[in-house]
Amino acid sequence: MADINLKEVTLIVGVVAACYWNSLFCGFVFDDVSAILDNKDLHPSTPLKTLFQNDFWGTPMSEERSHKSYRPLTVLTFRLNYLFSELKPMSYHLLNMIFHAVVSVIFLKVCKLFLENRSSVIASLLFAVHPIHTEAVTGVVGRAELLSSIFFLAAFLSYTKSKGPDNSIVWTPIALTVFLVAVATLCKEQGITVVGICCVYEVFIAQGYTLPLLCTAAGQFLRGKGSIPFSMLQTLIKLIVLMFSTLLLVVIRVQVIQSQLPVFTRFDNPAAVSPTPTRQLTFNYLLPVNAWLLLNPSELCCDWTMGTIPLIESLLDIRNLATFTFFCFLGALGIFSLRYPGDSSKTVLMALCLMALPFIPASNLFFPVGFVVAERVLYVPSMGFCILVAHGWQKISNKSVLKKLSWVCLSMVILTHALKTLHRNWDWESEYTLFMSALKVNKNNAKLWNNVGHALENEKNFEKALKYFLQATHVQPDDIGAHMNVGRTYKNLNRTKEAEESYMMAKSLMPQIIPGKKYAARIAPNHLNVYINLANLIRANESRLEEADQLYRQAISMRPDFKQAYISRGELLLKMNKPLKAKEAYLKALELDRNNADLWYNLAIVYIELKEPNEALKNFNHALELNPKHKLALFNSAILMQESGEIKLRPEARKRLLSYVNEEPQDANGYFNLGMLAMDDKKDTEAEIWMKKAIKLQADFRSALFNLALLYSQTAKELKALPILEELLRYYPDHIKGLILKGDILMNQKKDILGAKKCFEKILELDPSNVQGKHNLCVVYFEEKDLLKAERCLVETLALAPHEEYIQRHLGIVRDKISSSSFAEELIFPTRKASGVEEGEKNPTESVKEIVSESRPTQITKTSDDKSQSKSNKQLGKNTDKETPHKTTKDIKEIEKKRIAALKRLEEIERILNGE
């Protein structure tokens, strides 16, 4: 085996860079969204051990909806990318390009085991530029193929060194091989197939056996005419070690997936659920289809599922000829490589092994997979194809007549492949460009029409998206997901009637429940979302809440482990004012997923509705243990602590609110509630700062405007309060407490009797029975020296509040004054100020309290159709401006203090009058 030199490495790396430089400008598309953008395992806050408990997409392996693709080391490299650049796609694509260059260089070293130097470089160049690799290199999730291939080839190269002098066994390379096989398998499942290649290499290359020789030796041994040669015993020992190691890896892998195969629908792989012989004929036909993609990669497609390749339902189908021809050609090569000794047959044999063995897990021949054809799984098999091509070219170029022609043809192939790869990379720039390029190749795949619709939907182009979703239903009328997409788009267009009809159509395509029989069919969770979507749609109508609940219960009856149904039902039950049943729903969901911070948060909201603040706080704390940055849990738990009145909890409440504003710096509610907390602690300067920050972010923040004005009023800064109140009343002219406070300041500080009078008259226009406003208007009449009018006014006020002693006293004073012959001009009545902080404003759990129905804080995910998710915020409380009828003990004490102060002033007035 010749070593590779720097020139060869530079050439290969340069070619890879020239072919894939434009992939750096592509985004996250197709499966990248689930594996990168939606995968919490990439986040530093997720424990590393979770990577080894979840599948490639971040779903726990124990869940049935898991894809069962166990690739923790690949996810670990994604996590490293996230650590350096978070979700900026360029670094992810750059690392993929580097890995592809590494694979190409290692592949060159492998080629030199079987080909001469020049042919090895050609095979490696062809591999580096082959367009079939764009999905594996430019698609970020293709990194699983790249990483697995690196360790796959390294394991094979290590094994080639296991033969020592005199055919002895060198155990160190074998041990290293086993380790590298395990690593390759943890990057992607097909890594384990390198063991089969090592076995073939050992028997037919390292030991030099041919099939006839093995048959002869076996026949003699069985007839008792000879013993097994020592060299063959050595080979058997090595093979037993390899096979035992492989068996151990397989057992561990089966334990990881908990002996469950992933759930795929008939749309993912139609042949997998077809009867005999359709299934066998179609699966066998897919082999020449994959071979043709390697030979002629002119029409590439990112998705070959659904109706892309029609089923072969008859032996008379003309496509069976392609299958027959393929197997004849493959059989001829196999016989040649196994029967005849020589370097050429060894090269062909290893090329065939590289093509066939790594492809077996994706072939559907032993177990079904979730696709019909996938270009990225041809990454390793293409190595064998490139060796075959290079070997064939070597044979042709050795003939002087065809030498020039062979060079011209080879140059054309490499150049056209490189240009095709460069052009194909641009298809992966965005989801829209990717799926539109796929539709040019295949218009019979409803999933492609759906995905173009999703791309347009993400751009809020709902009208155009609807056309593609409708086309998907025409291409595949029984596609449940397509009808769900149509329904969701109609909903986004506010066409609820059409949306409901589409959801009903999707629901009619679901397997029907047989009354009295337990439902046992396995259904893809995404399809069950039709019940969630439909329920979420009709629950907007208050008269159909029971009907929506019935849909949630139907989904649960079909899959008792359907967590999303319990979450959505819990939210509905709260809306129906059934908190106890909502509690049951959330507790059931927690049985299925105790590590979901949003579920603990939702349960806390239920306890708030049940008037159990201590239990609510416990659940908020549990949510924060699982996710210390859970925004809503931080906010609402802080408010709950503040409202508890326990002084010892205030520092923690302040700490959580500070964490909240750090996470949500543009949310004025956070700063407002920090201000309210500071007011409670009598930190007036700090309270003023927080209130101003809230108003800066939200100029019309009613609560912050009023309470800042009240703060100024309580700290003898009444004149600073006036412009704040003007701003408040500009946005909210009917704010009664603001009008009362403004009138009081105008009368007592500015001596603007007319301005105060307008405020109080405005109050009575809004609320004729407002005692405070009515009384203060009576005071205005008194100040205007209109005693008769003041008397009539106070009589009317007393009729509204007959038990208010201060009104009775004021009426007595006015009547005494009327009967008196003289008049003390300096005498005044105190107006009644707006008492205390607006309770509704101070209760942020009323304004920010939300139910989270999936693992996305601050949002309710109503449903998750096929791909796109519909999100909306849910307000469970009253409006922030509404006054809370129940006052705390502290508030009552404050009001009582002000009442006593007012009575003292009345007593002073009475003494003056009596003195006159």
Side-chain angles (χ1 to χ4, degrees):
M1 178 178 65
D3 290 328
I4 55 177
N5 57 53
L6 184 59
K7 289 182 179 180
E8 293 168 340
V9 172
T10 304
L11 174 64
I12 291 169
V13 172
V15 167
V16 169
C19 288
Y20 286 99
W21 65 268
N22 57 340
S23 70
L24 300 178
F25 305 101
C26 297
F28 293 119
V29 297
F30 203 17
D31 290 339
D32 297 346
V33 176
S34 299
I36 308 296
L37 300 182
D38 298 339
N39 192 346
K40 290 185 178 180
D41 288 349
L42 273 63
H43 301 172
S45 58
T46 303
L48 275 175
K49 66 177 183 179
T50 306
L51 271 65
F52 295 88
Q53 296 170 348
N54 295 348
D55 67 12
F56 187 54
W57 317 97
T59 305
M61 294 292 290
S62 58
E63 293 189 12
E64 188 176 355
R65 64 189 178 95
S66 168
H67 197 274
K68 309 301 181 187
S69 45
Y70 189 65
R71 305 162 191 172
L73 296 186
T74 303
V75 179
L76 183 60
T77 65
F78 291 152
R79 185 166 173 142
L80 292 175
N81 271 120
Y82 186 92
L83 187 64
F84 287 105
S85 64
E86 293 192 347
L87 294 176
K88 296 176 182 177
M90 182 175 285
S91 72
Y92 293 80
H93 289 294
L94 177 62
L95 196 54
N96 269 26
M97 188 170 73
I98 292 171
F99 284 149
H100 180 54
V102 171
V103 174
S104 300
V105 171
I106 299 176
F107 177 58
L108 172 62
K109 194 171 183 68
V110 171
C111 289
K112 290 192 175 188
L113 291 171
F114 314 109
L115 298 169
E116 60 183 43
N117 194 53
R118 186 176 59 182
S119 300
S120 298
V121 174
I122 288 169
S124 184
L125 283 175
L126 185 58
F127 176 81
V129 304
H130 204 296
I132 202 72
H133 298 155
T134 51
E135 183 171 341
V137 181
T138 310
V140 178
V141 295
R143 185 177 299 177
E145 313 289 340
L146 307 176
L147 281 174
S148 180
S149 298
I150 290 173
F151 296 108
F152 181 102
L153 295 175
F156 177 69
L157 287 174
S158 175
Y159 187 79
T160 59
K161 299 176 182 178
S162 64
K163 181 180 177 181
D166 302 324
N167 207 27
S168 60
I169 300 175
V170 182
W171 290 106
T172 302
I174 294 177
L176 181 59
T177 297
V178 172
F179 171 75
L180 291 172
V181 170
V183 174
T185 306
L186 290 175
C187 294
K188 192 177 180 184
E189 297 78 3
Q190 68 181 28
I192 201 169
T193 59
V194 70
V195 173
I197 294 173
C198 290
C199 291
V200 172
Y201 174 83
E202 176 65 32
V203 175
F204 296 100
I205 310 300
Q207 302 301 329
Y209 295 123
T210 61
L211 191 59
L213 183 60
L214 286 175
C215 291
T216 301
Q220 289 178 349
F221 176 74
L222 291 173
R223 290 194 297 268
K225 295 184 177 180
S227 60
I228 299 177
F230 179 73
S231 61
M232 192 172 288
L233 284 175
Q234 293 279 75
T235 301
L236 283 173
I237 291 172
K238 292 169 74 174
L239 294 182
I240 289 171
V241 170
L242 282 178
M243 297 307 295
F244 178 79
S245 303
T246 305
L247 183 61
L248 183 62
L249 285 174
V250 170
V251 170
I252 294 172
R253 183 70 174 82
V254 171
Q255 288 297 315
V256 167
I257 67 173
Q258 300 186 3
S259 304
Q260 288 183 343
L261 289 175
V263 178
F264 299 117
T265 68
R266 58 191 175 88
F267 304 110
D268 297 321
N269 192 347
V273 295
S274 299
T276 303
T278 300
R279 181 170 63 254
Q280 289 77 14
L281 291 175
T282 305
F283 282 158
N284 281 290
Y285 171 68
L286 294 180
L287 299 177
V289 169
N290 281 279
W292 179 251
L293 286 174
L294 289 173
L295 189 63
N296 179 29
S298 59
E299 293 187 339
L300 299 177
C301 181
C302 63
D303 195 310
W304 294 80
T305 56
M306 303 188 89
T308 304
I309 299 176
L311 298 174
I312 299 179
E313 299 177 320
S314 170
L315 292 170
L316 300 178
D317 193 310
I318 191 68
R319 290 174 293 172
N320 289 320
L321 287 176
T323 306
F324 178 76
T325 303
F326 171 77
F327 278 107
C328 286
F329 181 72
L330 196 66
L333 287 177
I335 291 172
F336 167 77
S337 61
L338 291 172
R339 185 169 184 176
Y340 301 104
D343 292 338
S344 181
S345 60
K346 291 178 181 179
T347 301
V348 171
L349 177 61
M350 292 310 300
L352 290 176
C353 286
L354 278 170
M355 286 179 67
L357 294 180
F359 185 72
I360 286 175
S363 65
N364 285 289
L365 297 177
F366 297 99
F367 48 83
V369 294
F371 53 83
V372 179
V373 173
E375 292 165 11
R376 63 175 175 265
V377 303
L378 294 174
Y379 190 77
V380 176
S382 68
M383 296 178 185
F385 173 78
C386 292
I387 290 175
L388 273 182
V389 172
H391 182 59
W393 175 86
Q394 178 183 315
K395 293 291 185 182
I396 295 173
S397 64
N398 286 338
K399 298 180 181 180
S400 56
V401 180
L402 301 174
K403 187 172 184 178
K404 290 184 178 180
L405 181 62
S406 67
W407 274 105
V408 171
C409 292
L410 178 66
S411 301
M412 288 295 294
V413 167
I414 292 177
L415 179 61
T416 54
H417 277 44
L419 292 174
K420 173 66 177 177
T421 297
L422 191 65
H423 180 265
R424 174 65 174 159
N425 288 334
W426 289 122
D427 291 341
W428 291 79
E429 184 178 11
S430 68
E431 293 208 318
Y432 181 77
T433 57
L434 178 63
F435 298 126
M436 285 302 292
S437 70
L439 280 177
K440 293 175 183 177
V441 176
N442 172 28
K443 290 182 171 58
N444 295 322
N445 186 343
K447 192 173 179 181
L448 293 176
W449 293 99
N450 279 321
N451 284 335
V452 174
H454 285 308
L456 292 167
E457 186 181 38
N458 291 336
E459 297 172 359
K460 307 301 181 185
N461 191 345
F462 297 121
E463 291 285 356
K464 195 173 180 181
L466 180 60
K467 294 178 181 177
Y468 283 90
F469 289 141
L470 287 171
Q471 182 61 31
T473 63
H474 295 322
V475 171
Q476 189 86 36
D478 59 349
D479 181 8
I480 297 172
H483 290 286
M484 290 167 67
N485 291 335
V486 171
R488 187 183 60 254
T489 309
Y490 275 134
K491 182 182 177 184
N492 289 332
L493 292 170
N494 294 319
R495 296 165 64 177
T496 54
K497 182 180 179 182
E498 292 94 332
E500 184 173 347
E501 290 173 355
S502 297
Y503 284 139
M504 291 299 292
M505 173 61 74
K507 181 172 173 284
S508 69
L509 295 171
M510 294 286 289
Q512 300 302 306
I513 297 177
I514 302 173
K517 292 189 177 181
K518 186 178 179 181
Y519 199 87
R522 298 177 81 197
I523 298 179
N526 281 345
H527 287 173
L528 275 178
N529 278 321
V530 66
Y531 294 97
I532 309 299
N533 290 2
L534 182 56
N536 289 343
L537 179 69
I538 66 176
R539 62 190 268 185
N541 185 340
E542 295 288 338
S543 65
R544 302 181 69 183
L545 297 182
E546 289 292 345
E547 186 180 347
D549 188 36
Q550 176 62 32
L551 286 166
Y552 291 136
R553 283 185 280 130
Q554 190 172 352
I556 291 169
S557 70
M558 297 178 81
R559 279 182 64 102
D561 62 344
F562 191 20
K563 180 179 65 178
Q564 181 59 40
Y566 293 106
I567 294 173
S568 297
R569 184 166 185 250
E571 180 192 348
L572 175 67
L573 290 168
L574 272 179
K575 185 176 181 180
M576 296 170 70
N577 198 26
K578 297 180 179 179
L580 288 174
K581 288 189 175 181
K583 176 183 172 183
E584 291 176 9
Y586 286 128
L587 288 174
K588 184 63 179 178
L590 281 170
E591 289 178 13
L592 301 171
D593 184 6
R594 297 193 64 81
N595 295 320
N596 188 325
D598 291 332
L599 282 175
W600 291 102
Y601 169 82
N602 287 357
L603 190 57
I605 298 300
V606 172
Y607 279 117
I608 288 178
E609 295 295 320
L610 291 170
K611 311 299 182 188
E612 298 182 36
N614 292 333
E615 286 299 317
L617 190 56
K618 287 179 184 178
N619 284 278
F620 280 139
N621 291 340
H622 204 141
L624 290 170
E625 287 174 11
L626 294 169
N627 180 8
K629 294 183 179 181
H630 194 291
K631 299 171 188 176
L632 289 177
L634 284 169
F635 187 90
N636 285 304
S637 62
I639 304 311
L640 203 58
M641 290 176 177
Q642 182 183 358
E643 288 186 338
S644 71
E646 295 186 34
I647 297 175
K648 63 181 181 181
L649 293 178
R650 286 182 186 171
E652 179 62 22
R654 186 175 187 276
K655 179 182 175 183
R656 293 188 183 186
L657 283 172
L658 288 171
S659 298
Y660 177 77
V661 297
N662 185 54
E663 293 295 317
E664 287 287 339
Q666 299 303 311
D667 185 4
N669 281 295
Y671 300 104
F672 166 71
N673 284 285
L674 278 166
M676 299 305 298
L677 196 61
M679 287 180 71
D680 287 343
D681 290 335
K682 307 301 180 184
K683 297 177 180 178
D684 299 332
T685 304
E686 183 182 335
E688 181 182 356
I689 292 171
W690 291 124
M691 291 296 182
K692 285 182 176 179
K693 281 188 176 183
I695 295 168
K696 185 178 180 180
L697 287 171
Q698 187 179 333
D700 63 344
F701 197 155
R702 174 174 173 155
S703 310
L705 287 167
F706 175 78
N707 285 296
L708 179 59
L710 188 63
L711 177 66
Y712 284 143
S713 174
Q714 292 174 344
T715 54
K717 299 176 182 177
E718 288 89 348
L719 297 183
K720 291 183 73 174
L722 270 181
I724 304 297
L725 289 169
E726 293 287 354
E727 193 71 7
L728 170 68
L729 294 170
R730 183 168 70 86
Y731 289 113
Y732 308 101
D734 58 348
H735 196 289
I736 291 176
K737 288 191 175 184
L739 287 166
I740 290 175
L741 186 57
K742 181 183 176 183
D744 178 76
I745 294 172
L746 288 174
M747 175 173 285
N748 295 321
Q749 304 298 323
K750 300 279 288 183
K751 306 303 179 183
D752 182 358
I753 305 300
L754 183 59
K757 184 177 182 180
K758 289 180 180 178
C759 290
F760 300 139
E761 286 176 342
K762 176 69 174 177
I763 292 170
L764 294 178
E765 287 178 17
L766 297 170
D767 182 10
S769 62
N770 188 285
V771 175
Q772 203 170 350
K774 185 81 171 174
H775 170 265
N776 287 359
L777 184 59
C778 300
V779 175
V780 170
Y781 293 148
F782 184 87
E783 294 290 337
E784 290 178 338
K785 301 181 175 57
D786 192 341
L787 298 183
L788 293 176
K789 199 169 185 179
E791 182 189 22
R792 288 196 301 272
C793 180
L794 285 168
V795 169
E796 292 172 1
T797 307
L798 189 60
L800 293 173
H803 302 295
E804 288 290 352
E805 186 181 355
Y806 75 93
I807 299 175
Q808 295 174 2
R809 288 192 182 190
H810 283 192
L811 180 57
I813 292 170
V814 171
R815 284 175 173 170
D816 288 344
K817 182 62 182 172
I818 291 172
S819 62
S820 173
S821 58
S822 61
F823 178 80
E825 292 188 1
E826 73 278 7
L827 193 63
I828 62 168
F829 283 141
T831 57
R832 304 287 290 177
K833 292 186 180 182
S835 59
V837 177
E838 285 199 39
E839 296 300 325
E841 309 288 6
K842 188 178 178 180
N843 188 359
T845 55
E846 295 287 342
S847 62
V848 183
K849 183 169 59 180
E850 296 179 16
I851 279 289
V852 183
S853 62
E854 264 200 17
S855 304
R856 297 176 182 274
T858 78
Q859 296 177 335
I860 292 180
T861 303
K862 298 290 186 186
T863 62
S864 52
D865 286 338
D866 189 27
K867 173 175 176 283
S868 180
Q869 293 187 339
S870 171
K871 306 177 184 74
S872 67
N873 287 338
K874 173 72 177 176
Q875 300 290 340
L876 287 180
K878 306 281 196 267
N879 187 280
T880 56
D881 298 319
K882 184 171 181 181
E883 293 187 39
T884 303
H886 302 290
K887 292 181 170 57
T888 63
T889 303
K890 179 181 175 183
D891 296 327
I892 293 170
K893 287 181 179 177
E894 291 290 331
I895 292 170
E896 188 61 27
K897 285 180 183 177
K898 291 176 182 178
R899 187 185 180 94
I900 292 170
L903 290 174
K904 285 181 179 179
R905 293 186 68 185
L906 286 173
E907 289 173 0
E908 291 174 5
I909 293 167
E910 288 172 356
R911 282 196 297 271
I912 293 170
L913 287 171
N914 293 331
E916 290 182 347

